Amino acid sequence: MIKKIFSYPIQFVLFVLIQGLVLNNIQLGGTANPYVYILFILWLPIETNKALVMGIAFLLGLSIDVFTDTVGMHASASVFLAFVRPFVLRTLAPRDGYEVNIPPTASGLGWFWFLRYAAIGIFFHHFFLFFVEVFRFSEFFDTMGRILTSTAFSLVLIALAQIFNFNVEEKR
Amino acid sequence: MRNLIAFIRKYSFFFLFLAVEVLAFYLLFSKNHFQRSSFLNSTNEVTGGFYTKYSNFNDYVHLAEVNEALSEENKRLRGRQIQSFERLFGENVYVLDTIFRRKYLYTKAKVVNNSISHQNNHLTLNVGIKNGIERGMGVIGPNGVVGVIKNVSDHYASVVSVLHREAKISVKLKTSQYFGSMQWNGVNYRNTQLIDIPNHVELLKGDTVVTSGYSSIFPEGLSTAVIQSFEVREGENFYDIEMKLLSDFKQLSYVYIVKNNTSTELQELEENREGQND
């Protein structure tokens, strides 16, 4: 358990660096951007205090913002994700609730559950992020298109990250 | 009162969300203030240092393109040297006197971070206050305007790119001298838009658009884009012009920062004029 708690700060730094240095430079067709760093929020244990998740999300978003010169943009979107996360978790809960100490990952709750959970989370985050970025509704469908392509792109990369993590967890 | 407390307690998570979101938006909207303090942006030493390491690594991969662009630029500059001109009339003498004075000074810089995929794109350069860089200076690349310096720290500077929805650059048509503004609509990073050209001007596809020199940030006559297509929407007095940028922002690696020696003089004069009109 203690090992786990220590591993979170390392994960945090890794996600920020990978997002800031590598993924921010990747675009599909010049419009679709993958934002994988939110996987850190998605992976936090289900029982984590909601307010704590929100604080972590704010710091995580702010760290990403430092790399992109957009102070507050990723922070606000990540906080929004932290806000909807409990509702998403509740909606997707199995009939008799979550077992204690089960992580919200594919290895913990299965691929079908994880992909739905990730897709909904990513969509909420990207929706908020892209609309804060353009800050107007006049080009609604343009923005919507970019949100959907980016969501798909992020989901693929997050699934890949989950596959790698899956193997690591299996070996333990 | 008890009801109120109960209400706040019941929805405490929502109120926390609102509070944090307000903080985030406060940061977002007052970012000029915060960014001037140069702490929460990419000009700070930590991320700037990371970006430099990263771009050092990246440089090897792009050496070929950089060489290409530099030799292209050399070719053009060589063509402008006095040696490449021939005297047309017999006994004209070229006298170097005090008619000329230096108006623009250039500093070279390396792009250590660059983005093209957002609506508001920025670059980070590896020069800062210690290299004499100041807020508001212009940045040009081998093929025209790149942007304007926004924030400066000791060793780094961040640039508002031409690919920023709120960046307006004063430009003119090279042939007819009509001036307008170049502003990006956020769609394609190779294209930009020209606005404020009245519809009676004759345009041609492929017309070159150069900097106007009015803003005193950029020297006059810097080729920046070519006209790709244009139309007049019904009932409008101005063209909608689509231009292709000469520089490929995805490949930028070395840029020049333009310092205008006369800019303070010019600004003072123009401010005085505005004062008198009131």
Side-chain angles (χ1 to χ4, degrees):
Chain A
M1 189 65 204
I2 285 176
K3 205 170 155 194
K4 253 189 176 169
I5 289 174
F6 272 116
S7 77
Y8 278 109
I10 298 171
Q11 248 186 48
F12 185 98
V13 174
L14 274 180
F15 270 117
V16 169
L17 288 183
I18 291 175
Q19 181 69 45
L21 294 177
V22 183
L23 297 174
N24 278 351
N25 295 313
I26 297 178
Q27 302 96 26
L28 273 190
T31 52
N33 262 51
Y35 292 107
V36 173
Y37 70 95
I38 52 173
L39 187 53
F40 183 79
I41 303 170
L42 295 176
W43 267 352
L44 286 173
I46 296 173
E47 309 85 48
T48 319
N49 184 307
K50 291 188 288 185
L52 181 64
V53 175
M54 196 164 274
I56 292 173
F58 183 71
L59 285 181
L60 180 67
L62 212 57
S63 316
I64 302 295
D65 280 329
V66 169
F67 279 91
T68 52
D69 262 1
T70 51
V71 182
M73 203 173 85
H74 285 282
S76 64
S78 304
V79 166
F80 181 66
L81 174 64
F83 176 67
V84 296
R85 195 182 97 120
F87 299 102
V88 177
L89 281 172
R90 207 177 305 153
T91 322
L92 295 178
R95 197 171 301 152
D96 36 2
Y98 295 103
E99 285 171 48
V100 184
N101 276 334
I102 284 274
T105 59
S107 49
L109 286 150
W111 273 103
F112 180 62
W113 183 89
F114 178 75
L115 285 180
R116 274 195 306 166
Y117 169 61
I120 297 171
I122 298 166
F123 177 75
F124 274 123
H125 172 267
H126 285 21
F127 185 85
F128 199 93
L129 180 73
F130 281 73
F131 272 108
V132 168
E133 189 186 18
V134 293
F135 218 72
R136 70 196 82 186
F137 283 105
S138 60
E139 292 140 11
F140 184 82
F141 291 104
D142 269 15
T143 313
M144 219 46 211
R146 295 196 299 129
I147 291 170
L148 291 177
T149 46
S150 292
T151 301
F153 197 8
S154 299
L155 186 63
V156 169
L157 289 183
I158 281 180
L160 281 176
Q162 176 68 77
I163 288 173
F164 282 120
N165 201 54
F166 211 174
N167 292 340
V168 175
E169 280 177 51
E170 292 273 281
K171 271 177 198 153
R172 266 186 210 150
Chain B
M1 192 63 200
R2 201 184 295 157
N3 281 344
L4 182 69
I5 293 172
F7 174 77
I8 291 177
R9 276 203 152 173
K10 192 174 172 199
Y11 295 103
S12 62
F13 184 53
F14 180 69
F15 284 113
L16 176 72
F17 167 66
L18 278 188
V20 182
E21 209 61 279
V22 166
L23 175 64
F25 276 95
Y26 173 70
L27 286 171
L28 186 63
F29 293 121
S30 59
K31 68 179 169 192
N32 283 328
H33 171 72
F34 277 90
Q35 289 185 330
R36 216 169 291 154
S37 67
S38 252
F39 171 67
L40 281 177
N41 64 33
S42 68
T43 59
N44 78 47
E45 302 296 319
V46 182
T47 45
F50 265 121
Y51 277 143
T52 313
K53 287 218 167 62
Y54 180 74
S55 100
N56 282 343
F57 168 78
N58 231 4
D59 274 352
Y60 287 104
V61 190
H62 293 294
L63 275 179
E65 288 101 330
V66 174
N67 275 341
E68 181 81 15
L70 284 178
S71 66
E72 185 65 29
E73 192 179 14
N74 273 341
K75 186 193 84 184
R76 215 167 48 234
L77 293 178
R78 219 171 267 276
R80 282 192 205 157
Q81 273 183 331
I82 195 76
Q83 287 94 323
S84 34
F85 292 91
E86 197 177 36
R87 198 174 289 164
L88 284 179
F89 301 103
E91 289 302 307
N92 288 356
V93 181
Y94 185 79
V95 183
L96 204 65
D97 64 11
T98 49
I99 286 176
F100 293 98
R101 64 169 175 169
R102 183 173 274 284
K103 189 173 175 193
Y104 294 104
L105 263 178
Y106 297 88
T107 312
K108 82 168 174 42
K110 201 170 96 184
V111 179
V112 292
N113 182 38
N114 189 0
S115 73
I116 55 154
S117 58
H118 305 285
Q119 296 289 302
N120 299 323
N121 294 294
H122 295 86
L123 298 97
T124 311
L125 309 180
N126 70 343
V127 291
I129 294 170
K130 299 212 161 150
N131 308 76
I133 307 304
E134 285 162 28
R135 198 184 157 81
M137 285 181 175
V139 180
I140 59 175
N143 293 309
V145 175
V146 168
V148 178
I149 301 274
K150 186 168 86 174
N151 295 302
V152 207
S153 69
D154 276 357
H155 300 103
Y156 298 99
S158 80
V159 179
V160 177
S161 160
V162 167
L163 305 178
H164 187 294
R165 294 186 68 140
E166 269 135 60
K168 257 189 177 180
I169 310 274
S170 174
V171 290
K172 64 182 179 184
L173 298 166
K174 195 177 182 181
T175 44
S176 59
Q177 305 284 316
Y178 277 97
F179 71 93
S181 297
M182 183 165 91
Q183 197 172 21
W184 190 51
N185 65 3
V187 176
N188 181 347
Y189 79 98
R190 293 305 309 268
N191 285 14
T192 179
Q193 284 65 41
L194 177 59
I195 52 177
D196 297 343
I197 298 284
N199 62 9
H200 63 81
V201 180
E202 275 190 34
L203 293 179
L204 277 177
K205 263 187 197 177
D207 273 356
T208 309
V209 175
V210 300
T211 49
S212 70
Y214 291 163
S215 62
S216 84
I217 296 175
F218 300 104
E220 190 186 339
L222 210 65
S223 304
T224 294
V226 290
I227 293 180
Q228 206 171 38
S229 63
F230 51 87
E231 56 166 354
V232 185
R233 252 182 283 166
E234 216 162 299
E236 296 274 340
N237 293 323
F238 297 101
Y239 278 111
D240 286 343
I241 305 175
E242 187 84 10
M243 302 189 293
K244 187 165 188 69
L245 281 166
L246 293 176
S247 26
D248 185 345
F249 275 73
K250 228 174 178 171
Q251 286 188 339
L252 276 184
S253 41
Y254 285 93
V255 293
Y256 306 95
I257 294 153
V258 188
K259 179 184 183 351
N260 183 346
N261 287 333
T262 59
S263 65
T264 31
E265 194 182 328
L266 207 70
Q267 260 169 23
E268 272 171 24
L269 184 72
E270 291 184 346
E271 271 165 23
N272 275 343
R273 181 188 60 199
E274 276 160 23
Q276 276 163 7
N277 282 348
D278 291 337

